[in-house]
Amino acid sequence: MLRRSLPLLLTGLALLAACGASPTAPPVSPATTVATSAPAPTAPPTPAPATAVSAAPVTLNVFAPAALTEASRQLGAAFEAANAGVTVAFELGHSPTQRAQLEQGATPDVFISASRKDMDLAAEQQLVVADQVQVFARNKLIVILPPDNPAQIESLADLAKPGVQLLIGTPDIPIGSATLSMLDKLNASIAPDFKARVLANVVSQEVGVKPIVSKVSLGEADAGIVYVSDAVAAPTLTTLAIPDEANVIVVFTIAPVTAAPHPEEAAAFVASVLAPEGQAVLTAQGFLPAGP
Amino acid sequence: MNRAERVRADPGPARPRWAWVFASIGALLVALLALPLAVLIWTALSNELLTFLRDPSLQRAISLSILTSSISVGVLLLLGTPLAYVLARWSFRGKVWVELIIDLPLVLPPLIAGIALLLAFGRNGILGRPLDLVGLRLPFTTAAVVVAQVFVAGPLYVRTARLGFAAVAPELREAAAVEGANEVQLFRYVMVPLARRALGSGLILAWARAFGEFGATIVFAGNMEGRTQTIPLAIFVGFETNLGIALGLSLVLLVIAALVLLLLRWIGRGVPTA
């Protein structure tokens, strides 16, 4: 029990402390049962940069949501491999917090947001280059259960069973608000009091996606609602798919920061994420391609 | 100005010229501590504070914080006082280890305390499993908030109380023994009354620490309004969406902390500090 959960806890700890990505590269997890019928990524309009844009050593700072933890390591490593002398440093945190940090004068090179609202606000204030904001990935919700499924949840309707201990995100962060809209949609298809009964089972509104994954993996809660990509990153968990008609698509956006210390590299990094190779990394992690 | 004049202008003859060197360097640190807090207070006050303070979720956080830190201090009084007494009075094998365990939470990041508590008292934890069998579940409950607070605030009380007991002159203990007092009477009528200021200081320090507890609480008890969302958690959540609420609560926390420290100075006159 302890041995199994320790690495997980350490990851959770690192994330809670809003630290950067850990140096250990994770194995590329193959598409598991949670991977959706993702079509091959469509080629984006921008071509990938082939060579280094600068000779001097450069550290490219990227603000990214914690949902990108696993993908960011691979995206960063790929960009570093293609651009000698460039180190990509991800700062993983909450999009609203990072937007507030931009507002207060933080100058990373690239801003990646899990919420459209925060990116739009940042663009409005000219904190990011407004006409270069692009959708690079989409994500949807899934229910995660501990491997032994102690509450015997077999369907979405079971989430409303009395006594189920459920973890969701606090409504103030993207995962939390997406969860609430999904429950609204399910209300229509399952039962009119479904949402109220599910919310009565919520034991904690966690302040991030990764704490939900950690606590469900430990078996402290019977279920949690997270992004599909988080479930792919934690293959020991049991999952319960949410039908597309009730699901909520969360859009991830990327943009170079207006005051970026390394604008050329920032543009190149954005392009590399949108390139087929970058999109392949994201779909392998359970993200949906940038889409229509 | 010549030297003689400067000496005369000095308010206290005991303050040598060099004191200013130390004082100006020290002032830098005071400024570092004071400036951010001053800006916080100023911003909070200019931010429709009253509207936010009337917010019901904010009031729930305040009352939950007061309730849980008071219960935590009660638990510490019951369990920590005998422990402090033992440590002050007697030597025993392994005492060093007991002291180390008590002091660890002082330097441990509270986040680690939260994870450790989850592993021990969680549903699949070593102690949590038997508790679960009798229908008791700690994580995500108000009780879990109290456990987290006792964990992080415990050392402050035990250390201060212990110093208070140790400061009682041995002659007084001997005199009581000569008069025929047994160990319980000695504790009840001599040691506790003489150490009461230290005990009080310890309780206040522990209360303040429990009141500000964040890391262990959010990991072990989670974040649920009215149940586990104490003021620091509400500030953290509020910081992401509603800075006004976060600022209002920060001000509440700051004012209470300052009052508690003033109370501590008043009660703790002449108490050895931990």
Side-chain angles (χ1 to χ4, degrees):
Chain A
M1 157 70 214
L2 192 72
R3 212 172 303 142
R4 182 167 57 86
S5 48
L6 206 60
L8 206 146
L9 275 167
L10 290 175
T11 327
L13 179 69
L15 287 162
L16 274 171
C19 294
S22 114
T24 48
V28 183
S29 40
T32 59
T33 44
V34 294
T36 50
S37 54
T42 47
T46 347
T51 50
V53 279
S54 160
V58 161
T59 298
L60 196 70
N61 287 301
V62 180
F63 275 12
L68 234 62
T69 307
E70 292 78 17
S72 69
R73 289 182 198 136
Q74 295 176 42
L75 291 171
F79 189 73
E80 284 167 5
N83 297 272
V86 179
T87 310
V88 186
F90 282 93
E91 187 164 325
L92 301 166
H94 298 165
S95 301
T97 307
Q98 296 190 327
R99 204 250 314 141
Q101 287 170 344
L102 282 175
E103 217 174 82
Q104 297 296 323
T107 52
D109 295 288
V110 177
F111 178 44
I112 299 179
S113 176
S115 94
R116 190 74 216 223
K117 194 183 80 185
D118 288 297
M119 183 59 89
D120 289 346
L121 277 171
E124 250 170 58
Q125 296 176 283
Q126 313 269 306
L127 297 169
V128 296
V129 185
D131 58 0
Q132 287 180 36
V133 174
Q134 277 175 290
V135 174
F136 71 95
R138 295 172 306 145
N139 216 336
K140 55 183 186 177
L141 304 179
I142 194 165
V143 178
I144 51 170
L145 312 165
D148 55 343
N149 193 3
Q152 293 167 357
I153 293 167
E154 307 296 341
S155 68
L156 291 176
D158 287 347
L159 291 177
K161 280 197 303 194
V164 168
Q165 298 204 315
L166 177 68
L167 294 179
I168 64 172
T170 171
D172 312 312
I173 59 174
I175 181 71
S177 53
T179 300
L180 292 183
S181 346
M182 177 206 74
L183 289 175
D184 277 330
K185 290 186 184 177
L186 282 176
N187 232 15
S189 59
I190 296 181
D193 63 342
F194 179 73
K195 184 184 183 187
R197 281 162 56 213
V198 170
L199 289 182
N201 282 340
V202 172
V203 288
S204 174
Q205 298 180 337
E206 294 291 314
V207 291
V209 181
K210 296 297 176 184
I212 302 180
V213 176
S214 297
K215 289 178 184 182
V216 171
S217 302
L218 278 175
E220 292 310 330
D222 299 320
I225 298 171
V226 297
Y227 295 124
V228 170
S229 57
D230 298 301
V232 171
T236 57
L237 293 172
T238 311
T239 56
L240 194 61
I242 297 164
D244 276 347
E245 58 273 18
N247 218 321
V248 172
I249 302 289
V250 177
V251 171
F252 286 70
T253 46
I254 188 168
V257 172
T258 312
H262 314 101
E264 282 174 44
E265 288 85 355
F269 180 77
V270 172
S272 79
V273 171
L274 287 154
E277 294 79 13
Q279 293 288 298
V281 166
L282 290 161
T283 43
Q285 293 292 342
F287 287 91
L288 303 172
Chain B
M1 190 198 282
N2 65 35
R3 191 157 174 247
E5 272 171 347
R6 205 181 315 155
V7 170
R8 217 180 302 130
D10 231 22
R15 194 181 294 167
R17 262 190 312 153
W18 276 98
W20 294 109
V21 176
F22 291 98
S24 24
I25 296 173
L28 285 176
L29 184 58
V30 174
L32 177 72
L33 299 175
L35 212 67
L37 294 180
V39 174
L40 177 78
I41 293 170
W42 188 79
T43 321
L45 287 178
S46 53
N47 210 311
E48 299 170 65
L49 193 63
L50 281 178
T51 336
F52 292 123
L53 287 181
R54 277 197 214 100
D55 190 302
S57 67
L58 193 147
Q59 287 171 358
R60 272 195 283 274
I62 295 176
S63 44
L64 184 73
S65 272
I66 293 175
L67 175 79
T68 50
S69 23
S70 304
I71 296 176
S72 298
V73 158
V75 172
L76 281 174
L77 184 67
L78 284 177
L79 303 180
T81 315
L83 175 61
Y85 192 68
V86 167
L87 291 173
R89 285 288 313 277
W90 298 291
S91 295
F92 50 90
R93 270 177 71 114
K95 187 178 179 181
V96 180
W97 295 105
V98 175
E99 289 169 338
L100 187 74
I101 289 169
I102 294 167
D103 285 350
L104 262 180
L106 277 182
V107 290
L108 213 61
L111 218 50
I112 294 180
I115 294 174
L117 286 169
L118 206 55
L119 288 181
F121 294 103
R123 218 153 55 156
N124 292 321
I126 292 168
L127 296 163
R129 223 179 252 279
L131 282 177
D132 198 38
L133 289 178
V134 294
L136 278 175
R137 272 182 200 175
L138 265 184
F140 312 118
T141 62
T142 307
V145 178
V146 171
V147 173
Q149 290 176 348
V150 167
F151 193 99
V152 296
L156 290 172
Y157 176 66
V158 174
R159 284 174 73 104
T160 320
R162 177 197 175 168
L163 289 171
F165 284 133
V168 174
E171 299 82 47
L172 292 171
R173 282 209 314 264
E174 283 154 20
V178 168
E179 295 290 329
N182 63 28
E183 196 59 50
V184 175
Q185 287 168 326
L186 176 70
F187 175 77
R188 167 83 179 75
Y189 298 109
V190 179
M191 298 300 277
V192 168
L194 286 174
R196 66 181 188 283
R197 278 175 188 278
L199 299 185
S201 302
L203 287 181
I204 291 171
L205 270 177
W207 192 89
R209 177 66 189 86
F211 199 69
E213 202 328 282
F214 171 73
T217 310
I218 202 153
V219 173
F220 184 47
N223 170 50
M224 199 68 206
E225 199 183 300
R227 199 188 304 158
T228 61
Q229 192 187 71
T230 53
I231 295 179
L233 271 65
I235 292 175
F236 185 75
V237 171
F239 179 68
E240 309 230 306
T241 43
N242 194 332
L243 198 59
I245 287 196
L247 282 171
L249 277 174
S250 302
L251 193 68
V252 170
L253 203 71
L254 206 62
V255 167
I256 294 178
L259 287 178
V260 161
L261 288 180
L262 283 175
L263 185 67
L264 189 69
R265 291 188 76 94
W266 181 69
I267 289 192
R269 287 159 296 164
V271 168
T273 44

